[in-house]
Amino acid sequence: MEASDSYLIRPHHQHKFKPAIVKECIREIVRERLSGVQYDPDQVPELSRSLADCIKDKVKNAGFDRYKLVVQVVIGEQRGQGVKMSSRCFWDADTDNYAEDIFMNESLFCLAAVFGSYYY
Amino acid sequence: MTGMEEYHNSSEGSFSSEEADVIVKECVDNVVGGEDYSQSQVNKWTSSIVERCLTQLVKHWKQNKYIVTCAVMQKTGGGLHTANSCYWDTTMDGSCTVRWENRTMYCVVSVFAVAVA
């Protein structure tokens, strides 16, 4: 009889959210989509939205089945300003984790963060 | 029975974006309201904002996991865009984003509330 996994309260070690793998996913997508791109205020809203969706789909397909995902993408223009981003999470540190990556070129900077929360 | 009392403590119901909006705005006002952008203080500000928001949110609705992010940017005419994409249960989970500004800086706080079961 196939064991149903509906009562799993802890992910199996192999199915845990692995920050290194997710960071690589993010890195690939961002580098591919943003290399050589200039900041354009008309296009950036659509670009950031589609980047977030792309990253979410890629991470979903990487096999973290029991995880709810939150992907946040921030794109800003490089104008010599100071920016600081921080985040804090209230979750189960044993099962949940996050991964982030930053990309910069001369005209823009982009930060992408993926938070994975286990669904018991 | 004391067990029952604890169960009914979270009588606020499920996560509400409007209420979270009010809570977050208040936290941001308390930390950076009336301040000018300062490179040396910005670390402290972002930490305080996320910590305060988190404590207030947990006080209101204990049954969720929370992810709070905060970005503070100096006003120099440059643009900033944030986008979120979430894979979750739309009936139980929710998010709220608050944009706040003053003369010298922008502050964007995002709150994501994820149900556990």
Side-chain angles (χ1 to χ4, degrees):
Chain A
M1 185 160 72
E2 193 74 50
S4 143
D5 63 355
S6 56
Y7 48 81
L8 267 179
I9 54 167
R10 280 279 177 274
H12 188 257
H13 178 73
Q14 264 141 340
H15 303 309
K16 258 194 178 169
F17 189 90
K18 292 194 187 75
I21 295 184
V22 178
K23 183 173 169 119
E24 205 39 53
C25 288
I26 301 175
R27 197 162 261 238
E28 269 172 39
I29 295 180
V30 171
R31 244 132 266 251
E32 182 193 318
R33 300 278 300 269
L34 289 185
S35 291
V37 173
Q38 298 293 309
Y39 183 89
D40 177 3
D42 298 318
Q43 291 193 344
V44 163
E46 191 45 48
L47 180 60
S48 52
R49 238 182 308 239
S50 92
L51 259 176
D53 284 329
C54 257
I55 293 175
K56 182 196 69 181
D57 290 330
K58 184 146 191 188
V59 176
K60 210 165 39 124
N61 295 333
F64 304 111
D65 293 327
R66 299 291 297 239
Y67 279 88
K68 289 184 174 178
L69 303 170
V70 175
V71 178
Q72 187 169 51
V73 170
V74 179
I75 299 185
E77 192 179 359
Q78 285 257 43
R79 279 254 194 140
Q81 77 274 41
V83 192
K84 174 79 182 165
M85 263 202 80
S86 59
S87 72
R88 201 69 103 242
C89 308
F90 178 74
W91 59 22
D92 183 343
D94 183 40
T95 57
D96 307 329
N97 219 322
Y98 77 102
E100 64 185 6
D101 197 39
I102 303 179
F103 171 82
M104 291 202 283
N105 67 21
E106 332 76 41
S107 84
L108 56 75
F109 65 88
C110 172
L111 174 114
V114 178
F115 302 89
S117 157
Y118 189 70
Y119 186 65
Y120 302 102
Chain B
M1 202 156 44
T2 47
M4 289 300 276
E5 204 178 288
E6 234 187 287
Y7 184 74
H8 286 298
N9 235 348
S10 41
S11 54
E12 284 283 342
S14 58
F15 181 77
S16 149
S17 278
E18 295 86 29
E19 284 180 58
D21 204 274
V22 174
I23 294 172
V24 169
K25 268 209 185 85
E26 200 185 315
C27 289
V28 178
D29 277 326
N30 285 339
V31 176
V32 285
E35 305 262 1
D36 284 338
Y37 182 86
S38 150
Q39 182 70 20
S40 53
Q41 301 247 43
V42 73
N43 270 357
K44 202 172 58 151
W45 287 336
T46 51
S47 299
S48 301
I49 292 174
V50 284
E51 262 161 47
R52 266 191 212 212
C53 286
L54 208 47
T55 11
Q56 290 300 316
L57 288 164
V58 169
K59 252 204 278 198
H60 270 76
W61 302 281
K62 280 194 224 68
Q63 69 269 32
N64 300 316
K65 290 183 179 177
Y66 291 99
I67 295 159
V68 180
T69 64
C70 166
V72 173
M73 186 170 97
Q74 195 179 14
K75 269 190 177 175
T76 50
L80 182 78
H81 291 266
T82 51
N84 307 314
S85 179
C86 306
Y87 175 64
W88 59 23
D89 185 335
T90 47
T91 54
M92 300 198 290
D93 307 322
S95 72
C96 145
T97 305
V98 170
R99 280 160 287 278
W100 182 98
E101 68 178 279
N102 71 7
R103 204 174 47 91
T104 53
M105 57 183 167
Y106 295 108
C107 177
V108 183
V109 180
S110 294
V111 173
F112 303 94
V114 178
V116 292

